[in-house]
Amino acid sequence: MKFFFAIIFVLLFQFSYSQSKIKSISPSVDRKDSLNIQIIETLGKFLETQSSKFWIESDIKMFKFPYQELIGIESGKMGSNFYQPSLMEIISTGEDDKKIVKVAYIGYNEETESNLIKAIYNMIAVKIDGKIFFSKYINYVTKDWRIKNEDNLKYYISPTKNFSHEEVERQKADIKLLSEFFGVEKFPIFYYSAVSPEEVFKLKGFDYHPMMYTSDSGGFAEDYNIIISGNNSEYYTHEVVHLYTSKLFPGINSYFYEGIATYFGGSGKFDYQWQKEKLKKFLTENPDFDVLKHLNVYERLYFEKETPVPYVVSAVICEMIIAEFGREKLFTVLRNGSSAEDGFKVFNLNKNNVNSKLRRFLKI
């Protein structure tokens, strides 16, 4: 497999498509085919402008930003435009005027004289009224998935998993609780139920992405009430909370965004109470841990591989705030988009007391 990709990289960089944003085109692409010619031309224009006018209208209505995964994908540690798009394949779908377009983002490291791959991404090209438009891969790859409607939930179920009615009932109960807590009516939720993060990234269009294999659980809450779950489960309250907070508090700070989601939905495969017990153990073993030095909620600080410490600390902070000040006071901070530091000030938390109050609340 490594030898195969090495050959592909060499071939890709033998061809340059200087008339557009496309860095190179593989010789496996038939550039004499009339439909392919149109696809290549339109792909170049889209990559240059990242304009929604090149995407089918139904995708924009369903996903808001159907090409969100490609925004900023050129950037990396080597520079803001290090990874450049190369057209690998244009593949028949078996349908007239519809093809799979496979794009790799590759950078060349001059110091090591080696090619580095960031991602391989798929989209669907469709010819409508003589023009080419693109569509998200998820619509194509899930066309044969089972669909189950459960109250306000519409499930799209991977053919590789069993549908759990018990998990659906738990999810419906949590949605009722969340609607009561946030004071809003239930809204439609489109839930893609996959078996793993690998399958999640494939739904999002990736043959390869560096995050595909970093965890055995996870998923995404996306615009327009979409959940993509890789937990092999019909229950994913953590991401459902994100749908509520994104609607109600569009400027919410990431610290509280993840904290309130973890408070209601836990993290990974474990609920909040389980994670809280793990945090108590972590703090007991790490008496010098300072909350204020770990306000980047996405810091990869894990305890025993399953407990994301910043997530769980932020969840406990949210619980402390609700217990002492009530939910409405918390909503004010969420609505204002206050940073963690500014939010702490509202609740009289500072460098002199936040750690002791956290430990006291957890009864450590």
Side-chain angles (χ1 to χ4, degrees):
M1 183 62 73
K2 290 181 179 178
F3 178 70
F4 169 78
F5 278 111
I7 292 176
I8 288 294
F9 290 154
V10 170
L11 290 175
L12 280 170
F13 279 91
Q14 287 177 348
F15 290 80
S16 176
Y17 197 75
S18 59
Q19 301 303 312
S20 74
K21 178 80 172 178
I22 303 172
K23 180 69 175 179
S24 56
I25 299 177
S26 168
S28 64
V29 175
D30 182 357
R31 297 171 69 176
K32 295 180 181 180
D33 179 89
S34 60
L35 181 57
N36 287 359
I37 291 170
Q38 275 191 280
I39 291 172
I40 293 169
E41 181 180 359
T42 307
L43 177 64
K45 291 177 180 177
F46 164 69
L47 293 174
E48 187 68 38
T49 63
Q50 291 201 339
S51 171
S52 60
K53 72 179 183 180
F54 297 108
W55 288 74
I56 62 174
E57 187 175 349
S58 59
D59 269 27
I60 296 168
K61 289 180 178 178
M62 183 171 184
F63 300 104
K64 190 175 183 178
F65 295 109
Y67 50 91
Q68 184 176 19
E69 293 85 2
L70 297 180
I71 297 175
I73 199 169
E74 300 95 340
S75 300
K77 293 180 180 179
M78 302 296 292
S80 59
N81 289 296
F82 180 74
Y83 297 98
Q84 292 297 307
S86 293
L87 178 58
M88 296 182 70
E89 300 278 356
I90 298 178
I91 304 169
S92 171
T93 63
E95 300 179 49
D96 292 339
D97 296 336
K98 180 183 288 189
K99 292 193 175 184
I100 300 170
V101 179
K102 195 179 296 289
V103 179
Y105 281 81
I106 304 169
Y108 180 72
N109 188 328
E110 293 182 356
E111 291 184 5
T112 61
E113 297 183 344
S114 60
N115 295 311
L116 304 174
I117 188 162
K118 173 77 172 285
I120 300 174
Y121 184 78
N122 296 296
M123 62 184 85
I124 303 298
V126 186
K127 189 172 183 179
I128 302 173
D129 296 330
K131 296 181 179 180
I132 298 298
F133 295 90
F134 296 111
S135 177
K136 283 182 74 72
Y137 192 61
I138 192 171
N139 292 328
Y140 175 75
V141 78
T142 61
K143 65 183 186 299
D144 295 322
W145 283 31
R146 290 172 293 157
I147 296 176
K148 291 275 189 179
N149 290 293
E150 298 281 349
D151 198 12
N152 66 313
L153 290 154
K154 185 172 186 176
Y155 284 98
Y156 299 82
I157 308 150
S158 169
T160 60
K161 76 178 302 299
N162 294 319
F163 185 74
S164 171
H165 290 281
E166 180 182 349
E167 290 169 351
V168 170
E169 292 304 314
R170 286 179 62 209
Q171 190 64 85
K172 287 160 67 174
D174 276 11
I175 287 172
K176 183 175 184 294
L177 183 152
L178 291 172
S179 290
E180 292 172 354
F181 178 83
F182 288 112
V184 296
E185 295 293 325
K186 293 184 293 185
F187 49 84
I189 295 175
F190 305 94
Y191 190 120
Y192 291 86
S193 189
V195 298
S196 68
E198 179 183 359
E199 190 173 29
V200 165
F201 276 96
K202 288 181 177 179
L203 290 181
K204 289 172 73 66
F206 292 100
D207 283 347
Y208 173 76
H209 187 283
M211 297 300 292
M212 285 178 76
Y213 307 104
T214 59
S215 176
D216 59 0
S217 64
F220 298 91
E222 305 205 332
D223 290 317
Y224 293 170
N225 309 334
I226 294 170
I227 298 291
I228 305 179
S229 167
N231 291 341
N232 195 26
S233 173
E234 277 66 65
Y235 178 84
Y236 204 172
T237 291
H238 182 107
E239 296 299 332
V240 173
V241 174
H242 286 329
L243 297 183
Y244 279 85
T245 54
S246 294
K247 280 178 174 296
L248 296 171
F249 318 110
I252 185 173
N253 179 268
S254 59
Y255 191 82
F256 296 108
Y257 179 73
E258 295 297 351
I260 195 67
T262 303
Y263 170 63
F264 279 108
S267 181
K269 297 179 179 179
F270 302 98
D271 65 17
Y272 173 53
Q273 295 303 322
W274 187 94
Q275 293 287 16
K276 191 160 65 168
E277 290 302 313
K278 285 292 183 179
L279 178 63
K280 290 168 68 173
K281 183 179 178 184
F282 169 81
L283 292 174
T284 300
E285 295 179 9
N286 296 271
D288 296 328
F289 176 83
D290 185 349
V291 171
L292 297 180
K293 291 181 180 179
H294 299 276
L295 295 181
N296 175 9
V297 77
Y298 299 117
E299 176 187 3
R300 296 190 65 77
L301 174 59
Y302 283 82
F303 179 61
E304 296 183 352
K305 298 182 179 181
E306 296 288 357
T307 299
V309 174
Y311 268 47
V312 186
V313 170
S314 62
V316 176
I317 296 290
C318 286
E319 184 183 9
M320 289 167 56
I321 291 167
I322 293 168
E324 185 173 354
F325 297 93
R327 63 182 179 179
E328 292 301 330
K329 194 72 175 284
L330 176 62
F331 290 170
T332 300
V333 170
L334 303 187
R335 191 175 296 111
N336 292 341
S338 303
S339 66
E341 296 96 325
D342 290 342
F344 284 5
K345 291 176 185 176
V346 174
F347 304 114
N348 304 319
L349 296 172
N350 54 61
K351 64 180 181 180
N352 297 319
N353 65 19
V354 64
N355 291 293
S356 59
K357 281 193 171 186
L358 175 69
R359 291 172 180 274
R360 194 179 310 124
F361 187 81
L362 291 171
K363 298 179 180 178
I364 298 175

